[in-house]
Amino acid sequence: MKILHTADWHIGQTFYQYDRTYEHQQFLHWLVDTIKAKDIELLIISGDVFDIANPSAVAIKLFYAFLNSAVKAQPGLQIIVTAGNHDSAARLEAPKPLLESSDIHIVGLIERKADGSIDYEKMLIPVRDRSGETVLWCMAIPFLRMGDYPAVAESQTLYADGVSALYKEAYEHALTKKQGGQGIIAMAHLHTLDAELSDHDKSERVIMGGIEFVPAKAFHEDLLYVALGHIHKAQKIGGKDHIRYSGSPLPMSFSEMNYKHQVVSFDISNGVMSGLEMLEIPVTTELLRVPAKPQPIDTVLEALLQLPEATETIHTAPYLEVRVLLEGPEPALRHKIETALAGKHVRLAKIDVRYPSSAGEGAEERIASATQLQELSPLDIFKKIYHEDYERETPEELVALFQQVLQEINTKEE
């Protein structure tokens, strides 16, 4: 049986305010073609189908159009989808009764039985070959929120230990169903311990101290494959080829300029995994940095003027990050950059402003404690920050403006 693992589509996402519908359309068209070309029998999508819990009608239509196209292009295709932390679990599950008739299974919510125990049966999906025989069991476990997992007595890391306990109990339940020659795989949408993060991953809410990081040992060693979602950088975890993040299909930040986005294909036959293959996703819209390293504004503007002229296909124009090195404030910076880019085949996404480093020897130490803050006046703090950022004294006109603002604030408080 050939299986394809993908995750973190984030349909409906915008890239620095630019709509990405065209990029998602192209990815999904490519995915349908790949499913057909690779003769995929099971597609697993490990969470974050949508970018927000209440996606637009356009985003929802895009997802269901893909499901329709995929099952038509590949008769007998089975699809298993779990909810991620960006998805509304209930909303994603809503059409479940209708979709199951097309071998599309969606698991978003953790449900409990009348006695309060977790309903593991709901999360265990039988996977059948083309003859109708069950050859595989999939533990389709969505993103776990507080209260979804078992309580572990005297635990110092309640989330990680609770999630580990849930996967242990889910696996034990799967063993009661498993017969000779059958295998078990798992889906998970979580942050594993030691996972390598992209810049966009770092913007996700992380609990202080990393106490929500789940170790690779949470997944039983006899699982044939663990299809991870949540981290956008494709990678294997714990040095194990069968525990993997597929990564996001679209780049989420400029740090991913030279990064190859992918889906993961593999075979399972007679309870053994083989044929692991990373399938690179074609880039629809490039990421561009000009210049490669921050340069003075005049150099930057000259480089921008050399960019190619605009074409009619603006939806394929590269996203542009402009990198500027400044000596001090430049109020007209954006206007100068936008003027230089007029008529160019790019979409300005980000202006990355840098200043000469103040981290060398003799640099003033940054304000480090509440006690130090209390000993300084607001004007002192303002001057200190300005000096650290620009390595020069605060101009008198800025000091005067700052004092005026302080006076107005004090007057209003009185």
Side-chain angles (χ1 to χ4, degrees), residues 147-402:
D148 285 341
Y149 44 84
V152 179
E154 300 181 3
S155 169
Q156 298 299 311
T157 53
L158 293 176
Y159 185 84
D161 290 346
V163 170
S164 297
L166 184 142
Y167 273 88
K168 179 178 181 293
E169 293 178 9
Y171 180 75
E172 290 170 350
H173 178 76
L175 287 178
T176 67
K177 300 286 186 177
K178 179 179 177 290
Q179 298 181 9
Q182 297 176 348
I184 305 173
I185 63 174
M187 299 169 67
H189 192 92
L190 44 73
H191 193 314
T192 54
L193 189 66
D194 298 327
E196 187 178 347
L197 306 181
S198 69
D199 282 356
H200 193 268
D201 291 320
K202 293 172 185 175
S203 69
E204 295 277 2
R205 182 181 67 88
V206 175
I207 299 174
M208 186 174 295
I211 60 174
E212 84 282 26
F213 297 171
V214 179
K217 66 181 182 181
F219 309 110
H220 195 279
E221 60 183 9
D222 290 337
L223 286 168
L224 299 182
Y225 188 85
V226 181
L228 299 173
H230 188 53
I231 302 301
H232 299 151
K233 184 176 178 62
Q235 59 194 288
K236 62 183 179 181
I237 296 298
K240 301 180 183 297
D241 279 333
H242 72 289
I243 305 178
R244 285 188 173 270
Y245 287 102
S246 64
S248 60
L250 302 185
M252 298 292 180
S253 72
F254 280 96
S255 66
E256 302 175 29
M257 267 186 59
N258 301 313
Y259 174 61
K260 295 179 179 179
H261 293 264
Q262 62 185 42
V263 295
V264 183
S265 171
F266 58 96
D267 287 296
I268 289 183
S269 179
N270 296 320
V272 177
M273 187 197 78
S274 62
L276 193 67
E277 185 180 7
M278 318 309 158
L279 307 177
E280 186 177 345
I281 301 167
V283 176
T284 299
T285 304
E286 294 183 55
L287 301 182
L288 183 64
R289 274 175 166 162
V290 177
K293 294 183 178 180
Q295 298 290 339
I297 182 62
D298 290 341
T299 304
V300 171
L301 295 176
E302 182 61 31
L304 297 179
L305 291 172
Q306 304 307 312
L307 292 172
E309 299 300 317
T311 68
E312 293 182 0
T313 55
I314 188 62
H315 54 273
T316 63
Y319 297 121
L320 174 66
E321 178 185 78
V322 178
R323 313 186 84 186
V324 187
L325 183 65
L326 296 179
E327 294 295 330
E330 180 62 59
L333 179 63
R334 174 168 285 274
H335 175 71
K336 290 179 179 180
I337 290 173
E338 290 177 343
T339 300
L341 290 175
K344 300 298 181 181
H345 188 61
V346 292
R347 286 177 283 179
L348 178 61
K350 179 182 179 183
I351 300 175
D352 181 21
V353 178
R354 302 293 177 91
Y355 300 96
S357 173
S358 60
E361 284 189 33
E364 293 185 59
E365 293 183 3
R366 290 189 175 273
I367 300 166
S369 69
T371 302
Q372 287 175 292
L373 284 173
Q374 291 171 358
E375 294 173 353
L376 296 171
S377 70
L379 181 58
D380 290 334
I381 296 171
F382 177 69
K383 287 181 176 180
K384 186 176 180 67
I385 292 173
Y386 187 94
H387 187 275
E388 290 185 355
D389 284 345
Y390 303 115
E391 290 192 318
R392 60 181 181 180
E393 296 305 315
T394 311
E396 291 183 6
E397 58 269 24
L398 278 181
V399 172
L401 178 61
F402 189 82

Side-chain angles (χ1 to χ4, degrees), residues 48-70:
D48 281 354
V49 174
F50 298 107
D51 192 58
I52 58 174
N54 187 22
S56 68
V58 171
I60 294 171
K61 182 177 180 181
L62 198 59
F63 176 54
Y64 290 114
F66 161 77
L67 295 179
N68 182 54
S69 298

